[in-house]
Amino acid sequence: MMQFFLKANLSRMVDLFQGTWKSISCENFEEYMKELGIGRASRKLGCLAKPTVTIMTKEDLITIKTKSIFKNNEISFKLGEEFEETIPGGHKTKSTVILDDGSLIQVQDWDGKEITIRRKLVDEKLVVESMVNNVICTRTYERVQTNPVSNS
């Protein structure tokens, strides 16, 4: 019985992240990309991108789609289960996402580097903090409001 309540509570927490989010600010992205070993031209393009993030759930599968004019990415995962993904620069990595204290925390491990991506809700905004070797990039997103269908 307790397991049911824990699972239902996790589901409600993840549901808060669902929706489409547009980037409104980005701090320290170029330094973060440099730390990842991304080339100068790609870093400059990446800094210009204003990505849109869509977070969806279907049962216990979470999907995060990131779209920009330069690159699109999609990951699907279950909380606590390792999965493989391709990160900027074309590197394949093993990732795990957990829900901790209201944040979706993703840990990527590749080539001796550990990358931590924390997605959290702050003042109705999605704040994404990405960290590698103590270099932190923070992107902030606003929820995109969907227009309800009018019957008038």
Side-chain angles (χ1 to χ4, degrees):
M1 187 71 150
M2 184 67 153
Q3 188 173 359
F4 169 77
F5 289 115
L6 288 174
K7 191 169 185 173
N9 192 34
L10 280 176
S11 179
R12 277 195 295 268
M13 288 297 298
V14 172
D15 285 349
L16 296 174
F17 288 88
Q18 286 195 92
T20 299
W21 305 84
K22 67 176 181 178
S23 176
I24 58 170
S25 71
C26 182
E27 299 168 21
N28 212 31
F29 186 68
E30 187 169 0
E31 285 304 310
Y32 172 77
M33 296 285 281
K34 188 176 185 178
E35 195 67 26
L36 288 175
I38 306 300
R40 186 175 188 274
S42 293
R43 290 195 314 263
K44 293 294 183 192
L45 288 175
C47 287
L48 296 174
K50 300 286 186 217
T52 299
V53 173
T54 302
I55 301 174
M56 303 169 287
T57 62
K58 184 175 183 180
E59 296 175 8
D60 58 351
L61 186 70
I62 301 168
T63 300
I64 301 176
K65 294 181 181 182
T66 305
K67 294 184 178 183
S68 75
I69 58 173
F70 302 111
K71 187 171 177 103
N72 297 330
N73 187 46
E74 180 177 329
I75 57 173
S76 293
F77 56 89
K78 293 181 180 182
L79 289 175
E81 292 185 15
E82 187 177 77
F83 63 98
E84 188 174 280
E85 69 172 307
T86 304
I87 61 172
H91 300 285
K92 289 204 182 294
T93 181
K94 299 285 187 188
S95 289
T96 306
V97 180
I98 61 168
L99 185 65
D100 183 44
D101 197 25
S103 296
L104 285 172
I105 300 173
Q106 179 178 359
V107 177
Q108 302 171 326
D109 187 11
W110 63 275
D111 200 26
K113 293 183 182 182
E114 184 177 280
I115 301 164
T116 303
I117 302 169
R118 177 184 298 267
R119 295 171 177 93
K120 60 187 177 181
L121 299 174
V122 178
D123 298 329
E124 298 184 22
K125 292 181 175 50
L126 174 65
V127 177
V128 180
E129 297 170 335
S130 304
M131 183 175 80
V132 62
N133 298 336
N134 295 320
V135 176
I136 300 173
C137 166
T138 303
R139 276 197 194 262
T140 304
Y141 297 82
E142 280 183 334
R143 189 181 295 274
V144 174
Q145 298 301 321
T146 56
N147 295 326
V149 176
S150 173
N151 290 329
S152 54

